[in-house]
Amino acid sequence: MQTFEKIITVTQEDLDQLNHVNNVRYVQWVQDIAKAHWMLRAPNQILDDYFWVLVRHTIDYKNQAVLGDILKLKTYVLNSEGVTSVRMVEIFNASTNKLLVKSETKWCFMDKKTYRPTRILAEVANLFD
């Protein structure tokens, strides 16, 4: 299983009124790393013809992050079947390696011409093996 990682630092804009990372920010980071992984791996021909839409999103908040924390975002595709794919995202405190957030998202593969779900091509599934 092919993983993709990114390191970020918590900024003031990421915080809520309790001075820890806002839950909405974690959701944004989950979406951002999924997109970055897709854009890195998918060839232009695929990017021109297909896109993903979010079907379901679950997120478990395990620990908090605060201003200045360095976070490691890690993502991988758990499985792809038919028109859907399940992607995992884990967010760790990079200094302590403590798991902060674990997310599972279900995505639907869409055809840009028809705006309809379409079977995930083998070449797309193979991008993340």
Side-chain angles (χ1 to χ4, degrees):
M1 168 180 338
Q2 192 257 9
T3 63
F4 176 71
E5 295 181 3
K6 180 178 179 179
I7 300 292
I8 61 172
T9 301
V10 175
T11 66
Q12 186 67 42
E13 294 77 34
D14 300 322
L15 304 181
D16 62 15
Q17 70 277 10
L18 301 175
N19 285 321
H20 61 70
V21 172
N22 188 306
N23 293 355
V24 174
R25 184 65 76 191
Y26 285 113
V27 173
Q28 184 66 56
W29 290 336
V30 166
Q31 180 175 321
D32 291 348
I33 194 164
K35 180 178 180 181
H37 192 202
W38 170 244
M39 297 302 288
L40 177 72
R41 302 290 299 161
N44 286 337
Q45 175 188 348
I46 298 294
L47 293 173
D48 291 343
D49 294 337
Y50 303 97
F51 65 99
W52 296 95
V53 295
L54 185 63
V55 175
R56 183 178 57 239
H57 179 87
T58 57
I59 189 165
D60 295 318
Y61 300 97
K62 306 284 190 182
N63 289 289
Q64 65 180 347
V66 296
L67 183 65
D69 281 353
I70 298 170
L71 307 181
K72 178 174 71 172
L73 285 64
K74 176 182 172 183
T75 188
Y76 54 93
V77 174
L78 191 59
N79 62 53
S80 296
E81 294 180 7
V83 300
T84 61
S85 182
V86 175
R87 176 181 286 278
M88 303 300 295
V89 175
E90 299 165 335
I91 301 175
F92 297 88
N93 179 308
S95 300
T96 64
N97 208 31
K98 183 182 279 190
L99 179 64
L100 306 178
V101 167
K102 187 171 185 172
S103 173
E104 180 177 307
T105 52
K106 186 174 185 179
W107 297 87
C108 183
F109 195 57
M110 303 285 288
D111 185 297
K112 277 190 180 178
K113 292 181 190 115
T114 64
Y115 280 77
R116 307 275 303 160
T118 189
R119 267 197 175 294
I120 298 170
L121 308 169
E123 65 186 289
V124 170
N126 292 338
L127 292 173
F128 303 104
D129 285 344

